């Protein structure tokens, strides 16, 4: 019999007596024990409720009593929360600001992050196929603001087509063709007159061709540029140094390097690894920033990487999806006699790059 089942008092109805007799005959129902997993879940639920109550809820003062050893088996992460230190597992914590890194490491700038992505995309692009005797052909749209002789603000004309043919190895003259202007030979040695001595008859000669450089690039020269970003930037700085500027002078050196790299991106057809190195070298230049939107001369909207100097901002515009280089734009960032802040001084758009067999001929593909 079940000794813990009380019997009904005298005078109870028949149903009550029947239930009492059945309770005496049947064993007591078993009390289920919690599994270790269920026990841990309940402890976590209690801990979360306590933390929620502590965040703006009523304060609960715990009683001083001994804690059973079993209740100390709380996960380390929960203990860290109680101690005031949040331990976040990878991928489980709240999303922080873009570029957030662990303590002690500087967060990369938006420009560094974007140019690194552009470098990865450029490194995966097909390599140009230009033979030594061929020409690199670049077709673009350009527009440059001008001012009249009486002064006044600069006016940007409509963009015009521009085509250039550059000898791949620099051994032959190239060609520049712009809409509305006569063709201009490129790289032709200019005539000069030399004197062998006082009173001698002037003798016609030609200037010796300057060796290729960052400011006078050939396809072969660009293809051989260093692909280590710091070494490449050092070379660009050396070859764009102003006359009389010392090695340690910082006046305009960063902007000249940024402008020269932009010209190489727009006016040459570099191998993928060199293009990627140019992007990474530009990321090392101080003052480079990212603009969320900019439009090139062809009306294509994209993301811009920009640098400001002397009241003007030079922008490189990239395709928002592929990170391909689209063109450049120069904008006033402060009001000057040339115009108000926001005035566009120049804009371009790269349309086609290819290999041509001769100046004036279009690429076959």
């Amino acid at each position: 019999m079940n000794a813990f089942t009380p019997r009904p008092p005298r005078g109870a109805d028949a149903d009550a007596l029947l239930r009492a007799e059945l309770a005496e005959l049947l064993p007591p129902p078993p009390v289920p024990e919690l599994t270790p997993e269920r026990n841990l879940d309940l402890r976590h639920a209690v801990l979360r409720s306590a933390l929620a109550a502590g965040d703006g809820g009523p304060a609960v003062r715990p009683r001083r009593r001994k804690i059973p050893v079993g209740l100390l088996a709380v996960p380390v992460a929960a203990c860290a929360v109680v101690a005031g230190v949040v331990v976040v597992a990878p991928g489980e914590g709240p999303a922080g600001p873009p570029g957030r890194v662990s303590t002690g490491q500087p967060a990369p700038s938006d420009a560094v992050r974007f140019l690194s992505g552009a470098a990865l995309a450029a490194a995966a692009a097909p390599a140009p196929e230009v033979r030594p005797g061929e020409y690199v052909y670049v077709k673009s749209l350009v527009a440059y603001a001008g001012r009249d002789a009486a002064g006044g603000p600069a006016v940007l004309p409509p963009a015009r087509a521009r085509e250039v043919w550059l000898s791949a190895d620099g051994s032959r003259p190239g060609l520049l063709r712009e809409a509305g202007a006569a063709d201009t030979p490129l790289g032709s040695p200019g005539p000069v007159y030399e004197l062998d001595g006082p009173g001698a008859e002037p003798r016609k000669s030609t200037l010796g061709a300057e060796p290729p450089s960052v400011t006078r690039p050939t396809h072969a020269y660009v293809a051989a540029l260093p692909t280590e970003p710091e070494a490449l930037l050092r070379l660009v700085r050396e070859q764009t140094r102003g006359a009389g500027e010392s090695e340690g002078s910082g006046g305009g050196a960063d902007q000249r390097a940024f402008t020269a790299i932009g010209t190489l991106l727009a006016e040459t057809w570099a191998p993928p690894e060199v293009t990627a190195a140019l992007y990474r070298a530009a990321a090392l230049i101080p003052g480079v920033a990212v603009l969320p939107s900019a439009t090139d001369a062809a009306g294509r909207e994209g993301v811009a990487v920009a640098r400001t100097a002397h009241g003007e901002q030079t922008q490189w515009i990239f395709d928002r999806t592929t990170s391909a280089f689209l063109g450049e734009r120069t904008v006033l960032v402060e009001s000057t006699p040339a115009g108000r802040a926001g005035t566009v001084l120049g804009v371009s758009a790269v349309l086609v790059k290819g290999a041509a067999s001769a100046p004036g001929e279009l690429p076959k593909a």
Side-chain angles (χ1 to χ4, degrees):
M1 272 173 86
N2 188 353
F4 298 100
T5 304
R7 297 185 63 84
R10 292 181 177 275
D13 56 12
D15 290 340
L17 292 174
L18 179 59
R19 286 195 296 270
E21 293 178 358
L22 290 175
E24 293 178 355
L25 295 175
L26 296 175
V31 179
E33 296 183 358
L34 295 176
T35 63
E37 293 80 4
R38 179 58 178 164
N39 188 26
L40 186 60
D41 290 341
L42 291 177
R43 289 177 180 176
H44 283 180
V46 172
L47 182 59
R48 287 193 296 270
S49 299
L51 291 174
D55 186 11
V60 179
R61 184 175 182 179
R63 298 179 180 177
R64 293 182 176 274
R65 62 184 182 87
K66 294 183 179 181
I67 302 176
V69 176
L71 294 182
L72 293 177
V74 183
V76 175
C79 293
V81 173
V82 175
V85 179
V86 179
V87 179
V88 183
E92 295 181 0
R100 184 178 179 180
V101 295
S102 60
T103 303
Q105 298 179 4
S109 68
D110 291 340
V112 172
R113 186 164 46 249
F114 181 86
L115 288 170
S116 297
L120 291 176
E129 297 181 2
V130 185
R131 291 176 293 186
E134 293 183 323
Y135 290 77
V136 171
Y137 170 80
V138 179
K139 181 179 181 179
S140 58
L141 293 176
V142 298
Y144 302 107
R147 303 173 65 186
D148 56 31
V155 178
L156 186 73
R160 63 183 184 276
R162 179 179 185 272
E163 297 172 287
V164 62
W165 288 262
L166 298 174
S167 173
D169 57 6
S171 61
R172 290 176 289 179
L175 179 66
L176 170 64
R177 176 174 293 170
E178 290 187 326
D183 291 353
T184 303
L186 298 177
S188 299
V192 296
Y193 291 88
E194 297 181 357
L195 293 176
D196 295 330
E201 188 73 20
R203 179 167 49 86
K204 189 175 181 179
S205 180
T206 57
L207 289 172
E210 296 184 17
S213 64
V214 168
T215 56
R216 297 176 60 88
T218 64
H219 180 73
Y221 179 83
V222 172
L225 285 174
T227 56
E228 200 282 317
E230 292 185 357
L232 178 56
L233 180 58
R234 187 163 52 249
L235 176 65
V236 171
R237 289 186 188 276
E238 291 174 355
Q239 297 193 3
T240 57
R241 191 182 311 156
E245 181 181 328
S246 62
E247 181 70 25
S249 176
D254 291 332
Q255 186 63 18
R256 283 195 299 274
F258 187 79
T259 302
I261 292 176
T263 302
L264 290 174
L265 294 171
E267 295 290 315
T268 67
W269 196 16
E273 61 274 13
V274 174
T275 302
L278 289 170
Y279 290 143
R280 293 191 174 101
L284 300 175
I285 300 176
V288 180
V290 171
L291 301 180
S293 180
T295 305
D296 69 2
R300 299 175 296 189
E301 189 272 341
V303 183
V305 173
R307 192 177 191 281
T308 303
H310 310 299
E312 298 180 4
Q313 186 178 76
T314 303
Q315 304 172 359
W316 302 343
I317 306 171
F318 293 84
D319 185 275
R320 191 177 297 278
T321 302
T322 65
S323 297
F325 183 87
L326 298 180
E328 293 183 280
R329 191 168 68 163
T330 303
V331 183
L332 286 177
V333 295
E334 57 187 44
S335 296
T336 69
R340 296 180 179 180
T343 300
V344 178
L345 300 180
V347 63
S348 67
V350 179
L351 303 180
V352 178
K353 289 185 178 182
S357 58
E361 296 186 7
L362 298 180
K364 296 179 181 179

